[in-house]
Amino acid sequence: MTAELVRGQNHPLPRTRLEIRVSAGAPVVAAATLGDEQGRVHGVERVAHPGSPHLPGIEVSRQAAADHRLAVDLEALGDEVHRVHVLLALPAGPPGPGRFAAVAAPFVAVTGLDGTAIASYTITGLGAESAVVALELYRRQGAWKIRAVGQGYAGGLADLLADHGLAAAAQLAATIQEAVALGASRTVAAPPPRTSDEARLRTPGSGTPGSDASGSGASGGPAAPSGGDGPAAAVPQQAVGDGGPINYAHPRRQTCTPPPPAPAAPPAAPGEPARPVAGDASGWSMDERLYNQVWGMFEDLARAVAAYRSAVDFADSRLEQEVDRALSDPRGRMGSAGDLAREQARAKREELVARARESLDRDLAQLTAESDVVEPALPAPYARWDNPVWHGYRVPMELPMALRIGDLHLPEQPELRIPMLVRLPLERGLWIDAGRGGSDAAVFLDSDQVKGLAVDTAVAIAARLLAVYPAHEFAVHVIDPAGAAAARLAPLVRSGVLAAPPAAGAAGVSEVLTRLTERVDLVQMAARAGAGADALPPGMDTAEQLLIVNDFPHGFDDRALNQLRYLADEGPSVGVHLLMVADREEAGAYGPLLQPLWRSLLRLTPVPDDHLADPWVGHAWTYEPPLAPSGSRILEQVLGQVGEARAAWPR
């Protein structure tokens, strides 16, 4: 049965010799890149295009055409090839269209050599783009999968190839277009219009329920090529109005040599999926491999659930259509014939949903098995407080690449929790929402209890930050204007990890904010002047700074409010970070004045809440704060070691 994919979905490939068929409403250029585990292409010789159509394991057309057939032999690819991207582009120059919005949505199908359909994808939503990554074939735990990408590039082939890491992207794009111009006389005309049945079968989002369109196990990489650091710097975005878009791309090293190989998975029994292995991802260290593996698990869980929900929507839509069709004839509305039609429609719907759930359960089982292997292997910065690794904690000598600030899960499998990792140093401040909100977990809590849990969450996150930084490279300040959180801040105070006692009253608030804003100004001036740390005033603490603000906006006048906004906007770039505990409703008197402040911070909650929105597949992820287990003393023990290390560090 053919899997009709939507953007972001993946599907296992049951065979290694394939044919990729492309149908477009106008002549397009087809090409393919051979990339490493991170999707980077190491040289123009790893790009199959009309000017060089043959590479080991892949062959593309020599000319622009409305129809293409690409031959792929995955077994013939080198061991260094982990990703194959299928690219489509519009020929440059007149008389053809200059953007995909002017042509029919391209349709891509993957088949066996005998024509047996495996998966298909209609690339919708393109506008000004003139080049697009249509599909990705990627290797995962010894098996190959296909992913529908649909990532367009308004800058054309040059931008697309540059995003794959090619230094000579512009020159190669020009070479491809020259080869296309030479073969223009052989361009194939557009195919005849599709029949109504074909159009229905190829409608995006109507994937066949029950087909294994989501894949299983952890994904090997990003859903779409992108520069930059990817998910480390961007967790799922907040609900509308609380954050910006996210980027799922895994981190990329700027190097021309591939990283060392990941650990090999133990052999699986015939017919069984490959056994998961901790660290089975790309990276230069085990920590980096585990980081990438965690986000691969996040991606695959998102897509597995997206495929299931899409299948259920399709089944519901089909049920409604069949019932409407049965009732459209007045003669069939009454009597046994109408009842039978309705019963058959409901039975078909249940069958489709059951098949989709079976596919989802298969994926969830493998992801759960992978989580069971990965969680115990995580280093302290990525581990929960109940992980035994914390009992062997030692103050580190260098900063890790990321920190766990909670867990994420979806309602289809609440027990499967994905670590929520953020890159370090922090790129934006954090806001612990002390309001009751709409969470089910907060229904039976009064406002004081929620505020108390919010302070506990702030202390837990601050403790994790202190624990993963070298002793002399991180300082924490606290503003508690009314002293309302004195008891809950006690672990930070008793351990001696604070730079100074918590500031109280309007004078204390003003003093801390003035000192930190002056620090931001001085570091920015030194950076603009190209000066080093020796240009800063003697005795100035050059460590990263964290400011915990409790009970905002109490104790803040207009000047303090402006300073806080300044720290939120300018602080992260020079090592000054905010961790706010606040109820937005209590600050409602300021109106829209504080909207930029809330948007600049990553909103977290002290109780489980599904406020983190995933725009890629439309999920609402439930966030759980990183609180220590009830009755555990591990947080105090870790803070005690950090305090001792800070006290012993020479001033």
Side-chain angles (χ1 to χ4, degrees):
M1 185 175 294
T2 306
E4 297 178 20
L5 306 180
V6 297
R7 185 178 184 185
Q9 285 186 344
N10 54 17
H11 185 73
L13 290 172
R15 58 190 72 183
T16 58
R17 301 188 68 188
L18 309 167
E19 188 175 79
I20 299 176
R21 303 179 181 183
V22 178
S23 176
V28 296
V29 181
T33 62
L34 307 182
D36 59 17
E37 289 182 328
Q38 297 162 309
R40 296 184 62 82
V41 181
H42 299 285
V44 296
E45 68 276 6
R46 297 208 176 184
V47 181
H49 58 84
S52 178
H54 302 284
L55 289 180
I58 193 160
E59 180 179 357
V60 302
S61 305
R62 292 180 176 271
Q63 60 193 37
D67 285 342
H68 288 273
R69 293 195 177 191
L70 286 66
V72 179
D73 184 354
L74 298 175
E75 292 183 347
L77 298 175
D79 293 338
E80 72 280 4
V81 176
H82 290 263
R83 297 178 184 275
V84 178
H85 287 111
V86 178
L87 321 176
L88 302 178
L90 294 171
R99 57 196 183 100
F100 275 108
V103 302
F107 175 76
V108 186
V110 180
T111 71
L113 296 184
D114 58 356
T116 303
I118 298 173
S120 64
Y121 173 42
T122 302
I123 309 172
T124 59
L126 298 177
E129 299 88 345
S130 59
V132 61
V133 179
L135 298 175
E136 178 186 54
L137 313 179
Y138 64 100
R139 196 197 311 253
R140 184 63 177 164
Q141 294 182 345
W144 284 91
K145 295 183 180 181
I146 183 173
R147 177 180 292 130
V149 179
Q151 175 66 52
Y153 292 81
L157 268 176
D159 283 4
L160 187 155
L161 294 171
D163 207 20
H164 282 69
L166 278 170
Q171 296 91 320
L172 179 57
T175 300
I176 294 174
Q177 295 293 359
E178 289 173 3
V180 171
L182 291 176
S185 60
R186 299 189 298 271
T187 300
V188 179
R194 299 170 184 163
T195 65
S196 58
D197 288 342
E198 288 175 328
R200 177 182 60 79
L201 289 174
R202 295 173 181 179
T203 300
S206 61
T208 304
S211 64
D212 189 10
S214 61
S216 58
S219 162
S226 173
D229 282 342
V235 296
Q237 79 174 47
Q238 303 164 44
V240 175
D242 287 335
I246 69 171
N247 177 357
Y248 286 111
H250 286 179
R252 295 178 178 177
R253 294 278 183 167
Q254 299 299 321
T255 176
C256 293
T257 56
E272 294 184 0
R275 298 177 185 176
V277 174
D280 184 18
S282 61
W284 289 84
S285 65
M286 179 56 72
D287 286 2
E288 187 174 357
R289 290 171 179 170
L290 288 168
Y291 171 86
N292 289 341
Q293 186 171 12
V294 164
W295 282 100
M297 293 164 58
F298 170 84
E299 289 181 353
D300 265 8
L301 177 58
R303 294 186 177 106
V305 172
Y308 169 72
R309 293 180 181 178
S310 176
V312 173
D313 290 343
F314 172 82
D316 291 339
S317 175
R318 177 170 177 166
L319 170 63
E320 183 178 350
Q321 292 173 6
E322 292 184 353
V323 170
D324 288 344
R325 188 161 49 247
L327 298 179
S328 62
D329 184 356
R331 294 170 298 179
R333 295 181 184 177
M334 306 296 293
S336 59
D339 293 339
L340 178 61
R342 285 189 289 269
E343 187 62 31
Q344 289 176 340
R346 283 191 288 267
K348 184 61 176 178
R349 186 261 180 197
E350 295 303 321
E351 178 189 356
L352 294 174
V353 172
R355 287 162 53 192
R357 185 69 208 195
E358 180 182 357
S359 175
L360 175 65
D361 289 342
R362 183 167 59 250
D363 296 339
L364 293 178
Q366 187 158 349
L367 281 168
T368 300
E370 187 169 13
S371 178
D372 292 342
V373 171
V374 170
E375 275 287 354
L378 295 176
Y382 304 171
R384 288 194 294 253
W385 287 114
D386 58 0
N387 192 310
V389 71
W390 283 107
H391 294 283
Y393 169 77
R394 295 292 182 270
V395 178
M397 297 302 294
E398 60 181 18
L399 183 67
M401 67 182 298
L403 176 71
R404 187 177 192 156
I405 61 169
D407 290 346
L408 301 170
H409 65 82
L410 292 171
E412 282 77 5
Q413 185 80 340
E415 299 80 13
L416 177 56
R417 287 168 165 76
I418 306 296
M420 181 176 176
L421 304 179
V422 294
R423 290 294 291 267
L424 295 177
L426 295 174
E427 296 183 3
R428 63 191 298 195
L430 306 176
W431 163 35
I432 313 300
D433 190 350
R436 294 186 63 186
S439 169
D440 293 339
V443 170
F444 301 104
L445 301 176
D446 59 36
S447 59
D448 289 339
Q449 290 174 312
V450 175
K451 289 180 179 179
L453 289 173
V455 177
D456 291 343
T457 302
V459 169
I461 292 176
R464 297 180 73 86
L465 284 164
L466 284 161
V468 302
Y469 270 83
H472 61 293
E473 293 184 8
F474 199 74
V476 178
H477 311 264
V478 176
I479 289 178
D480 187 19
R488 295 182 182 270
L489 292 170
L492 296 176
V493 176
R494 286 197 301 262
S495 60
V497 297
L498 297 181
V509 171
S510 177
E511 190 275 331
V512 173
L513 291 175
T514 299
R515 176 157 37 89
L516 290 177
T517 53
E518 289 178 352
R519 183 189 187 280
V520 171
D521 289 338
L522 290 171
V523 176
Q524 283 185 336
M525 286 189 291
R528 284 194 292 266
D534 53 351
L536 298 173
M540 179 177 174
D541 186 4
T542 58
E544 298 269 321
Q545 309 287 313
L546 176 70
L547 173 60
I548 303 175
V549 178
N550 181 51
D551 215 15
F552 176 82
H554 300 296
F556 281 73
D557 55 21
D558 290 344
R559 181 172 182 271
L561 179 60
N562 287 331
Q563 289 175 322
L564 188 69
R565 289 181 54 186
Y566 177 74
L567 290 178
D569 292 338
E570 304 294 335
S573 63
V574 292
V576 178
H577 312 284
L578 279 184
L579 176 53
M580 289 185 57
V581 179
D583 180 355
R584 182 156 56 178
E585 292 185 3
E586 294 183 356
Y590 289 96
L593 181 65
L594 290 181
Q595 288 303 320
L597 174 64
W598 304 125
R599 285 196 298 266
S600 68
L601 305 174
L602 173 63
R603 176 176 175 251
L604 305 175
T605 54
V607 295
D609 186 74
D610 61 349
H611 70 282
L612 289 174
D614 182 346
W616 184 259
V617 288
H619 298 331
W621 290 82
T622 296
Y623 167 81
E624 292 199 11
L627 299 174
S630 178
S632 172
R633 302 286 300 173
I634 190 63
L635 187 146
E636 288 81 358
Q637 293 173 13
V638 170
L639 286 176
Q641 292 189 50
V642 174
E644 293 174 1
R646 289 174 60 87
W649 189 264
R651 300 291 180 178

